[in-house]
Amino acid sequence: MIRPPWPLVEHHKNLLARERGTVVKNPGGRLRVVVLYPNTYQVGLANLGLAVLYGLINQRQDALCERAFLPDRVSLPLYEKTGSPLLSLESSRPVADFDLILASLSFENDAPHLAAMLARSGLGLEADSRHGPLVVAGGMVPMLNPEPLAGLVDACLLGEAEAALPPFLDRFQEARGLPRPQALAHLARHVPGFYAPTLYEPVHGPHGLLTGMTPKSGAPARIAVPRWRGPAAGLARSVFNAPGPEFGEMTLLEVGRGCGHACRFCAAGHLMRPPRLGEGADFLEPALAAARRGETVGLVSAAVSDLPGVEDLAGKVVAAGGRISVSSLRADRLTPELARALAASRHQTVALAPEAGSERLRRVVNKRLDEQNLARAVETLIQAGVPNLRLYFMLGLPTENDEDVGELIALVRRLRQQMVSASRARGRLGLLTVSISAFVPKPFTPFQWEPMAPLKAIQARLARVKRELKPLANLKVASEVPKYAQLQAVIARGDRRVGGLVAALARGAGLPQAYASAGVDPEFFAHRRRERQEWLPWSLVDHGIDPDYLWGERERALAAKQSPECAPSTCRRCGVCG
């Protein structure tokens, strides 16, 4: 191995010296695995998916796991100055020298980051001409739709890591001595959730429509995605933390996986069925241990306020001298006890997610949240002592019209006024932040057939919201750039033909140039309504959800009809529970 540059080695040593939970193993005879996290160290330190991979692999006697991150403002100049390839954090070993490369992608816009990391590793952007270790991607992005990554990675491992990773590593050990094509075929035949793009031939019909995928070399016609069936108490938790980075001094505990509220835009709520939710008592021991170390306890799930006993758990953490934080709250499930625990933890801002401004549009997306719920939550939080609030909305939802946008503005005005009235009694007026994003239709949801709204319509509606809310004091509107939401939609809904776009972005091209050089038309992938019988790029992935159920929910959405919550003990509507 070529000796790594001293400045990068010192940088890694400084990071590791601040960390708790790092594992460093002697490589002697072990399978050497590196996990690429396609964002910076500061972001990756708080990612539970990365923590699960790191923990599962390092628990094995026959393997070791290290991490590599997207270079940040500190490390990037060091890479550029030294000309070094991408190095792992733990041993400063070149990524290309490992036996196996895993990558974890949580968001579609991580794909260009991953491509840039592979390029910096010297492994190139084209899997079919790559030599060296296999590159295997996992996480929410390939679970939704692996096809945009088809030209970039050798394979995708679809499924929850606790269920998918151990059998994959066992079979990978068997296949290590085989030539690359034979190894991929062996893994495809024997590993649940393993998808090797070279073993599938896309078939296209008129107008460039994808009409099917033909498997080769004994690969399965569809990829059944494995689920972890263990207890909720055994869900993910922090493996490492460090002072400084956001969430770094926080112990994260995943208290639930999936969500039973059945919001029609939510991919996680459909992919992670049936929802698994623990009880507060399941997490008391690690939470109190973290509190005694002076750390904040971060509770993570799609709706933390659904956790039975969460108020008692939060209260005991605060009583032990710790602090509590939550990833998300349902306004209709928020209690005064939980609000007081958040305030006692010096929470300065709590977020609520109406998603849509009008009651009609909330029925369309099956949010089941009325203004009374929202008003009560605002009152509860302010009275408990939380000074600032954030409201999340989406623009461009299916069937949205100008009247819905007007109702969004009116709802914000009313909630702000209630916040002002409640704050006066406490003698402190906080800030209301309105966060607005563009709706992106995701695979395996009832809206997977729907187009993303035109960019001009989203931009016009966003401009109206900002213009009409601007005069209000103590209110700020924050929004993402719609063209990046469009990129997210192209990757989420695309097939392997969008791989050139990912590569162009990794090389530093701007969006217009990247679309042009790759020959990718965002109208075709992001803004086109799909027909019911159209073969979708993600049709080869089997999450157990009945497409007829999703289509039926789409029809109910367009009629603004609500549907019941997910009830695994009694309901068999979606097909996941048999």
Side-chain angles (χ1 to χ4, degrees), residues 547-565:
D548 289 337
Y549 161 78
L550 294 176
W551 183 262
E553 283 298 299
R554 172 192 178 272
E555 295 295 286
R556 291 181 64 81
L558 298 183
K561 293 181 179 179
Q562 292 187 160
S563 292
E565 294 186 355

PDB file of all heavy atoms in Angstrom, residues 547-565:
ATOM      1  N   PRO A 547     -49.826  -3.381  -6.172  1.00  0.00           N
ATOM      2  CA  PRO A 547     -50.013  -2.179  -6.991  1.00  0.00           C
ATOM      3  C   PRO A 547     -51.481  -1.763  -7.100  1.00  0.00           C
ATOM      4  O   PRO A 547     -51.774  -0.569  -7.236  1.00  0.00           O
ATOM      5  CB  PRO A 547     -49.440  -2.581  -8.348  1.00  0.00           C
ATOM      6  CG  PRO A 547     -48.483  -3.685  -8.049  1.00  0.00           C
ATOM      7  CD  PRO A 547     -49.070  -4.426  -6.888  1.00  0.00           C
ATOM      8  N   ASP A 548     -52.398  -2.719  -7.056  1.00  0.00           N
ATOM      9  CA  ASP A 548     -53.817  -2.368  -7.112  1.00  0.00           C
ATOM     10  C   ASP A 548     -54.232  -1.564  -5.876  1.00  0.00           C
ATOM     11  O   ASP A 548     -55.098  -0.682  -5.964  1.00  0.00           O
ATOM     12  CB  ASP A 548     -54.677  -3.626  -7.220  1.00  0.00           C
ATOM     13  CG  ASP A 548     -54.562  -4.291  -8.584  1.00  0.00           C
ATOM     14  OD1 ASP A 548     -54.199  -3.596  -9.555  1.00  0.00           O
ATOM     15  OD2 ASP A 548     -54.816  -5.497  -8.681  1.00  0.00           O
ATOM     16  N   TYR A 549     -53.627  -1.889  -4.731  1.00  0.00           N
ATOM     17  CA  TYR A 549     -53.895  -1.096  -3.531  1.00  0.00           C
ATOM     18  C   TYR A 549     -53.408   0.337  -3.724  1.00  0.00           C
ATOM     19  O   TYR A 549     -54.132   1.303  -3.419  1.00  0.00           O
ATOM     20  CB  TYR A 549     -53.215  -1.726  -2.319  1.00  0.00           C
ATOM     21  CG  TYR A 549     -53.052  -0.783  -1.157  1.00  0.00           C
ATOM     22  CD1 TYR A 549     -54.128  -0.481  -0.329  1.00  0.00           C
ATOM     23  CD2 TYR A 549     -51.824  -0.162  -0.908  1.00  0.00           C
ATOM     24  CE1 TYR A 549     -53.988   0.407   0.733  1.00  0.00           C
ATOM     25  CE2 TYR A 549     -51.680   0.721   0.148  1.00  0.00           C
ATOM     26  CZ  TYR A 549     -52.764   1.007   0.963  1.00  0.00           C
ATOM     27  OH  TYR A 549     -52.614   1.899   2.003  1.00  0.00           O
ATOM     28  N   LEU A 550     -52.183   0.493  -4.235  1.00  0.00           N
ATOM     29  CA  LEU A 550     -51.643   1.833  -4.444  1.00  0.00           C
ATOM     30  C   LEU A 550     -52.499   2.618  -5.435  1.00  0.00           C
ATOM     31  O   LEU A 550     -52.773   3.808  -5.238  1.00  0.00           O
ATOM     32  CB  LEU A 550     -50.198   1.747  -4.936  1.00  0.00           C
ATOM     33  CG  LEU A 550     -49.181   1.165  -3.956  1.00  0.00           C
ATOM     34  CD1 LEU A 550     -47.804   1.063  -4.619  1.00  0.00           C
ATOM     35  CD2 LEU A 550     -49.091   2.004  -2.692  1.00  0.00           C
ATOM     36  N   TRP A 551     -52.931   1.954  -6.502  1.00  0.00           N
ATOM     37  CA  TRP A 551     -53.770   2.635  -7.497  1.00  0.00           C
ATOM     38  C   TRP A 551     -55.112   3.025  -6.876  1.00  0.00           C
ATOM     39  O   TRP A 551     -55.620   4.128  -7.126  1.00  0.00           O
ATOM     40  CB  TRP A 551     -53.985   1.738  -8.709  1.00  0.00           C
ATOM     41  CG  TRP A 551     -54.785   2.408  -9.788  1.00  0.00           C
ATOM     42  CD1 TRP A 551     -56.121   2.274 -10.031  1.00  0.00           C
ATOM     43  CD2 TRP A 551     -54.304   3.346 -10.761  1.00  0.00           C
ATOM     44  NE1 TRP A 551     -56.496   3.053 -11.095  1.00  0.00           N
ATOM     45  CE2 TRP A 551     -55.400   3.727 -11.558  1.00  0.00           C
ATOM     46  CE3 TRP A 551     -53.043   3.890 -11.029  1.00  0.00           C
ATOM     47  CZ2 TRP A 551     -55.280   4.635 -12.619  1.00  0.00           C
ATOM     48  CZ3 TRP A 551     -52.922   4.800 -12.079  1.00  0.00           C
ATOM     49  CH2 TRP A 551     -54.030   5.158 -12.861  1.00  0.00           C
ATOM     50  N   GLY A 552     -55.670   2.150  -6.066  1.00  0.00           N
ATOM     51  CA  GLY A 552     -56.929   2.477  -5.402  1.00  0.00           C
ATOM     52  C   GLY A 552     -56.786   3.669  -4.477  1.00  0.00           C
ATOM     53  O   GLY A 552     -57.692   4.520  -4.393  1.00  0.00           O
ATOM     54  N   GLU A 553     -55.646   3.762  -3.782  1.00  0.00           N
ATOM     55  CA  GLU A 553     -55.394   4.918  -2.927  1.00  0.00           C
ATOM     56  C   GLU A 553     -55.203   6.184  -3.755  1.00  0.00           C
ATOM     57  O   GLU A 553     -55.591   7.280  -3.328  1.00  0.00           O
ATOM     58  CB  GLU A 553     -54.179   4.662  -2.046  1.00  0.00           C
ATOM     59  CG  GLU A 553     -54.460   3.757  -0.864  1.00  0.00           C
ATOM     60  CD  GLU A 553     -55.475   4.353   0.086  1.00  0.00           C
ATOM     61  OE1 GLU A 553     -55.222   5.434   0.647  1.00  0.00           O
ATOM     62  OE2 GLU A 553     -56.550   3.736   0.258  1.00  0.00           O
ATOM     63  N   ARG A 554     -54.618   6.040  -4.928  1.00  0.00           N
ATOM     64  CA  ARG A 554     -54.511   7.194  -5.834  1.00  0.00           C
ATOM     65  C   ARG A 554     -55.907   7.686  -6.210  1.00  0.00           C
ATOM     66  O   ARG A 554     -56.172   8.902  -6.216  1.00  0.00           O
ATOM     67  CB  ARG A 554     -53.734   6.809  -7.080  1.00  0.00           C
ATOM     68  CG  ARG A 554     -53.734   7.881  -8.170  1.00  0.00           C
ATOM     69  CD  ARG A 554     -53.199   7.330  -9.485  1.00  0.00           C
ATOM     70  NE  ARG A 554     -53.245   8.335 -10.543  1.00  0.00           N
ATOM     71  CZ  ARG A 554     -54.308   8.542 -11.326  1.00  0.00           C
ATOM     72  NH1 ARG A 554     -55.401   7.811 -11.162  1.00  0.00           N
ATOM     73  NH2 ARG A 554     -54.272   9.476 -12.262  1.00  0.00           N
ATOM     74  N   GLU A 555     -56.798   6.774  -6.557  1.00  0.00           N
ATOM     75  CA  GLU A 555     -58.151   7.160  -6.939  1.00  0.00           C
ATOM     76  C   GLU A 555     -58.867   7.837  -5.778  1.00  0.00           C
ATOM     77  O   GLU A 555     -59.587   8.822  -5.973  1.00  0.00           O
ATOM     78  CB  GLU A 555     -58.921   5.920  -7.387  1.00  0.00           C
ATOM     79  CG  GLU A 555     -58.366   5.259  -8.656  1.00  0.00           C
ATOM     80  CD  GLU A 555     -58.492   6.160  -9.866  1.00  0.00           C
ATOM     81  OE1 GLU A 555     -59.626   6.312 -10.363  1.00  0.00           O
ATOM     82  OE2 GLU A 555     -57.469   6.722 -10.314  1.00  0.00           O
ATOM     83  N   ARG A 556     -58.688   7.321  -4.579  1.00  0.00           N
ATOM     84  CA  ARG A 556     -59.302   7.952  -3.409  1.00  0.00           C
ATOM     85  C   ARG A 556     -58.701   9.340  -3.173  1.00  0.00           C
ATOM     86  O   ARG A 556     -59.407  10.265  -2.760  1.00  0.00           O
ATOM     87  CB  ARG A 556     -59.111   7.072  -2.170  1.00  0.00           C
ATOM     88  CG  ARG A 556     -59.904   5.767  -2.214  1.00  0.00           C
ATOM     89  CD  ARG A 556     -59.698   4.945  -0.941  1.00  0.00           C
ATOM     90  NE  ARG A 556     -60.217   5.622   0.238  1.00  0.00           N
ATOM     91  CZ  ARG A 556     -61.489   5.643   0.617  1.00  0.00           C
ATOM     92  NH1 ARG A 556     -62.385   5.002  -0.102  1.00  0.00           N
ATOM     93  NH2 ARG A 556     -61.866   6.295   1.711  1.00  0.00           N
ATOM     94  N   ALA A 557     -57.412   9.476  -3.427  1.00  0.00           N
ATOM     95  CA  ALA A 557     -56.770  10.783  -3.268  1.00  0.00           C
ATOM     96  C   ALA A 557     -57.382  11.801  -4.223  1.00  0.00           C
ATOM     97  O   ALA A 557     -57.710  12.929  -3.819  1.00  0.00           O
ATOM     98  CB  ALA A 557     -55.270  10.665  -3.506  1.00  0.00           C
ATOM     99  N   LEU A 558     -57.528  11.427  -5.470  1.00  0.00           N
ATOM    100  CA  LEU A 558     -58.061  12.367  -6.459  1.00  0.00           C
ATOM    101  C   LEU A 558     -59.501  12.738  -6.146  1.00  0.00           C
ATOM    102  O   LEU A 558     -59.978  13.790  -6.579  1.00  0.00           O
ATOM    103  CB  LEU A 558     -57.956  11.761  -7.861  1.00  0.00           C
ATOM    104  CG  LEU A 558     -56.526  11.465  -8.339  1.00  0.00           C
ATOM    105  CD1 LEU A 558     -56.525  10.928  -9.762  1.00  0.00           C
ATOM    106  CD2 LEU A 558     -55.630  12.695  -8.233  1.00  0.00           C
ATOM    107  N   ALA A 559     -60.188  11.878  -5.385  1.00  0.00           N
ATOM    108  CA  ALA A 559     -61.544  12.188  -4.950  1.00  0.00           C
ATOM    109  C   ALA A 559     -61.555  12.853  -3.570  1.00  0.00           C
ATOM    110  O   ALA A 559     -62.634  13.083  -2.998  1.00  0.00           O
ATOM    111  CB  ALA A 559     -62.386  10.914  -4.914  1.00  0.00           C
ATOM    112  N   ALA A 560     -60.371  13.158  -3.028  1.00  0.00           N
ATOM    113  CA  ALA A 560     -60.226  13.799  -1.710  1.00  0.00           C
ATOM    114  C   ALA A 560     -60.892  12.978  -0.613  1.00  0.00           C
ATOM    115  O   ALA A 560     -61.535  13.521   0.289  1.00  0.00           O
ATOM    116  CB  ALA A 560     -60.762  15.226  -1.735  1.00  0.00           C
ATOM    117  N   LYS A 561     -60.705  11.644  -0.674  1.00  0.00           N
ATOM    118  CA  LYS A 561     -61.248  10.762   0.342  1.00  0.00           C
ATOM    119  C   LYS A 561     -60.122  10.237   1.231  1.00  0.00           C
ATOM    120  O   LYS A 561     -59.086   9.802   0.735  1.00  0.00           O
ATOM    121  CB  LYS A 561     -61.972   9.580  -0.307  1.00  0.00           C
ATOM    122  CG  LYS A 561     -63.230   9.959  -1.069  1.00  0.00           C
ATOM    123  CD  LYS A 561     -63.883   8.710  -1.649  1.00  0.00           C
ATOM    124  CE  LYS A 561     -65.172   9.075  -2.403  1.00  0.00           C
ATOM    125  NZ  LYS A 561     -65.818   7.868  -2.989  1.00  0.00           N
ATOM    126  N   GLN A 562     -60.336  10.249   2.520  1.00  0.00           N
ATOM    127  CA  GLN A 562     -59.356   9.723   3.455  1.00  0.00           C
ATOM    128  C   GLN A 562     -59.461   8.211   3.557  1.00  0.00           C
ATOM    129  O   GLN A 562     -60.494   7.621   3.241  1.00  0.00           O
ATOM    130  CB  GLN A 562     -59.534  10.354   4.829  1.00  0.00           C
ATOM    131  CG  GLN A 562     -59.199  11.830   4.874  1.00  0.00           C
ATOM    132  CD  GLN A 562     -59.221  12.403   6.264  1.00  0.00           C
ATOM    133  OE1 GLN A 562     -58.647  13.444   6.513  1.00  0.00           O
ATOM    134  NE2 GLN A 562     -59.867  11.729   7.196  1.00  0.00           N
ATOM    135  N   SER A 563     -58.370   7.597   4.010  1.00  0.00           N
ATOM    136  CA  SER A 563     -58.330   6.158   4.248  1.00  0.00           C
ATOM    137  C   SER A 563     -57.865   5.914   5.675  1.00  0.00           C
ATOM    138  O   SER A 563     -57.204   6.765   6.272  1.00  0.00           O
ATOM    139  CB  SER A 563     -57.385   5.469   3.262  1.00  0.00           C
ATOM    140  OG  SER A 563     -57.895   5.515   1.950  1.00  0.00           O
ATOM    141  N   PRO A 564     -58.175   4.745   6.219  1.00  0.00           N
ATOM    142  CA  PRO A 564     -57.783   4.468   7.607  1.00  0.00           C
ATOM    143  C   PRO A 564     -56.285   4.280   7.761  1.00  0.00           C
ATOM    144  O   PRO A 564     -55.562   4.053   6.774  1.00  0.00           O
ATOM    145  CB  PRO A 564     -58.538   3.181   7.936  1.00  0.00           C
ATOM    146  CG  PRO A 564     -58.779   2.525   6.616  1.00  0.00           C
ATOM    147  CD  PRO A 564     -58.970   3.652   5.642  1.00  0.00           C
ATOM    148  N   GLU A 565     -55.818   4.349   8.989  1.00  0.00           N
ATOM    149  CA  GLU A 565     -54.416   4.098   9.295  1.00  0.00           C
ATOM    150  C   GLU A 565     -54.091   2.620   9.081  1.00  0.00           C
ATOM    151  O   GLU A 565     -54.974   1.762   9.023  1.00  0.00           O
ATOM    152  CB  GLU A 565     -54.105   4.494  10.740  1.00  0.00           C
ATOM    153  CG  GLU A 565     -54.231   5.975  11.014  1.00  0.00           C
ATOM    154  CD  GLU A 565     -53.772   6.340  12.409  1.00  0.00           C
ATOM    155  OE1 GLU A 565     -53.447   5.408  13.191  1.00  0.00           O
ATOM    156  OE2 GLU A 565     -53.719   7.535  12.727  1.00  0.00           O
TER     157      GLU A 565
END
